[in-house]
Amino acid sequence: MIGIARKPTAAVRSSRGAQRRRDRIQPMDFPLLICALGLLAFGFVMVSSASMSIAEKCCNDPFYYILRHGFALGLALTAGVLTYSVPLETWERSGTWIFLAFVLVLVLVLMPGIGRTVNGATRWIPLGPLNVQPSEFVKLFAIVYIAGYLVRHADSVANHISGFIRPMILIGIAGALILMQPDFGTTAVMLATVMGMLFLGGVSVLPFVFLLGVVGMGLVALVIFSPYRWARVTSFLDPWQDPFSSGYQLSQALIAFGRGEWLGVGLGNGIQKQFFLPEAHTDFLASVIGEEFGLGGVMALFAACVFLCWRAFQIGVRAEALKKPFAAYVAQGIALWLGLQAFVNLGVNVGLLPTKGLTLPFLSYGSNSLIVGCMAVAILMRIDFTMRQLEIEAGAKRGLRWAHA
């Protein structure tokens, strides 16, 4: 007897539709990952180009900084993989304690015999072959701490002035310890990131404007009453007034951009990195990029940074739509931090901002900056992965409700 084929029921069709949606959804945000890895790879190439002459002179080994940067990249990628394996719930539960622990580490940096001083700045703790810079990690963990606080005290932050002043006390302590190193740039970026997160968290406008004014006046006072910071501001306004002393770094950076013109002089053919431009492989790497790849290369770099920050904000928007405020605040905070730091670094290189010792995220030489940057991207990838799972579950539930209707 020949059986008669039956038409699939609505529930079966819904189940198949949900399976097809699961098959279509990618397991992770590949554009974000490719962008971050591309910046890391390009940074390795440019650090190699910018550092060989310096390494040959100081260390008698042209590959000295290249090998160290490659080792730092390995550590950073390992840290990123390990960070990706940490669930969001763990960050939310432990964020305050991690931040407090690193505030205590900031105290250790300033203790004689523990912190390492280079060029008048005490920012590192030697750990064997590595020099750990706690202030780099504090920027990331401050974001995690503030995100958790905004979730736990959402009503207080929105309706009471004390609600957003309380976390600023702990942030202020961390900022004061970083200023004692001294590191004005890191403090300014951390405070700006935290203030942006509080604003996105729904803080009342008038108290926020008042606090913003107080923080702004405090930073301005630090510049005015600090002779070396004031000298940086005045030299930034007119670097050609003293191009061989206070305006030397900026004038050499501008010469590098001028030589690069539209398309650059070619990879490895730059002149300014050969003992003219100080810190060519760290703070002023963007100037080397401008000389060797021209305006086109700098604009491509800028576009990559903008894309990475936009992608992070998009992840935050999806998390907010799925009622996951902690994940949303962390993603938005990382976007603000990376965007601000990249803007400051590029602004310093082109003469829009006074000279600050901030690295270009994912590109500049420095193990701590690379490790923290990879950890930040790994957290974004973890948030994205978690949101994709929730979106699949939500789609399946909608399909089942439609089938049973």
Side-chain angles (χ1 to χ4, degrees):
M1 183 177 180
I2 300 175
I4 299 174
R6 296 183 179 180
K7 187 177 181 181
T9 64
V12 172
R13 291 197 301 272
S14 175
S15 176
R16 292 175 179 174
Q19 182 62 44
R20 285 195 296 270
R21 284 192 295 271
R22 283 194 290 270
D23 294 337
R24 285 198 303 268
I25 295 178
Q26 297 295 324
M28 63 177 62
D29 192 336
F30 286 110
L32 173 63
L33 180 62
I34 292 171
C35 180
L37 292 177
L39 288 173
L40 289 172
F42 184 59
F44 179 77
V45 171
M46 293 312 303
V47 167
S48 301
S49 175
S51 66
M52 294 186 73
S53 299
I54 303 170
E56 176 69 29
K57 181 180 180 180
C58 74
C59 310
N60 295 320
D61 180 5
F63 299 101
Y64 177 78
Y65 290 113
I66 297 174
L67 294 175
R68 291 175 67 88
H69 192 72
F71 178 68
L73 273 176
L75 289 178
L77 293 173
T78 302
V81 172
L82 294 175
T83 303
Y84 181 79
S85 65
V86 179
L88 294 178
E89 293 78 12
T90 302
W91 290 111
E92 185 172 6
R93 186 171 57 252
S94 308
T96 301
W97 296 109
I98 295 174
F99 182 68
L100 285 172
F102 270 85
V103 170
L104 294 177
V105 176
L106 289 176
V107 176
L108 292 178
V109 173
L110 301 173
M111 295 180 66
I114 298 179
R116 182 189 178 195
T117 302
V118 177
N119 296 329
T122 307
R123 302 175 185 174
W124 299 270
I125 296 178
L127 291 178
L130 293 177
N131 291 311
V132 178
Q133 186 177 355
S135 59
E136 287 287 339
F137 294 88
V138 166
K139 287 184 290 187
L140 175 60
F141 296 139
I143 292 171
V144 177
Y145 160 64
I146 292 296
Y149 181 89
L150 288 172
V151 173
R152 294 190 301 270
H153 304 280
D155 182 71
S156 179
V157 169
N159 300 308
H160 304 286
I161 188 171
S162 61
F164 70 93
I165 288 180
R166 283 200 299 269
M168 290 303 297
I169 294 174
L170 189 55
I171 295 293
I173 293 173
L177 291 170
I178 296 173
L179 281 173
M180 292 171 67
Q181 296 180 358
D183 191 348
F184 182 84
T186 295
T187 304
V189 168
M190 182 181 69
L191 288 175
T193 301
V194 168
M195 295 291 288
M197 291 181 66
L198 290 172
F199 180 77
L200 293 174
V203 68
S204 300
V205 176
L206 291 179
F208 175 80
V209 171
F210 173 76
L211 182 60
L212 182 63
V214 170
V215 172
M217 288 188 294
L219 294 176
V220 170
L222 287 171
V223 172
I224 294 175
F225 295 106
S226 177
Y228 83 93
R229 292 191 185 107
W230 182 249
R232 284 185 174 183
V233 172
T234 54
S235 63
F236 142 76
L237 294 174
D238 188 7
W240 305 109
Q241 184 177 2
D242 192 3
F244 299 106
S245 182
S246 59
Y248 182 76
Q249 283 182 311
L250 181 54
S251 61
Q252 295 300 317
L254 294 176
I255 291 172
F257 282 109
R259 291 195 73 251
E261 297 184 350
W262 291 101
L263 299 175
V265 298
L267 177 63
N269 295 327
I271 299 298
Q272 293 303 107
K273 64 188 179 185
Q274 297 180 9
F275 315 116
F276 292 102
L277 182 63
E279 308 297 336
H281 59 304
T282 56
D283 301 346
F284 283 87
L285 187 66
S287 298
V288 179
I289 296 172
E291 183 180 9
E292 298 190 351
F293 289 93
L295 179 63
V298 174
M299 293 304 296
L301 171 63
F302 179 76
C305 293
V306 170
F307 175 81
L308 192 146
C309 294
W310 170 77
R311 206 71 182 183
F313 272 120
Q314 288 295 106
I315 292 173
V317 169
R318 287 166 50 210
E320 189 173 1
L322 291 168
K323 309 300 182 184
K324 295 295 180 181
F326 174 78
Y329 291 135
V330 170
Q332 292 164 356
I334 290 175
L336 287 172
W337 158 45
L338 293 177
L340 282 169
Q341 184 157 329
F343 171 77
V344 171
N345 182 276
L346 293 172
V348 166
N349 275 261
V350 300
L352 290 175
L353 297 170
T355 303
K356 287 283 136 226
L358 284 174
T359 57
L360 185 58
F362 306 106
L363 284 93
S364 293
Y365 175 83
S367 57
N368 293 276
S369 177
L370 289 175
I371 291 171
V372 175
C374 286
M375 289 177 65
V377 172
I379 292 175
L380 288 174
M381 298 293 294
R382 181 71 188 200
I383 294 172
D384 172 76
F385 172 78
T386 305
M387 296 310 109
R388 288 172 190 266
Q389 299 301 310
L390 293 175
E391 288 166 350
I392 291 172
E393 294 175 4
K397 289 179 180 178
R398 285 195 299 270
L400 288 175
R401 284 197 298 269
W402 177 84
H404 291 294

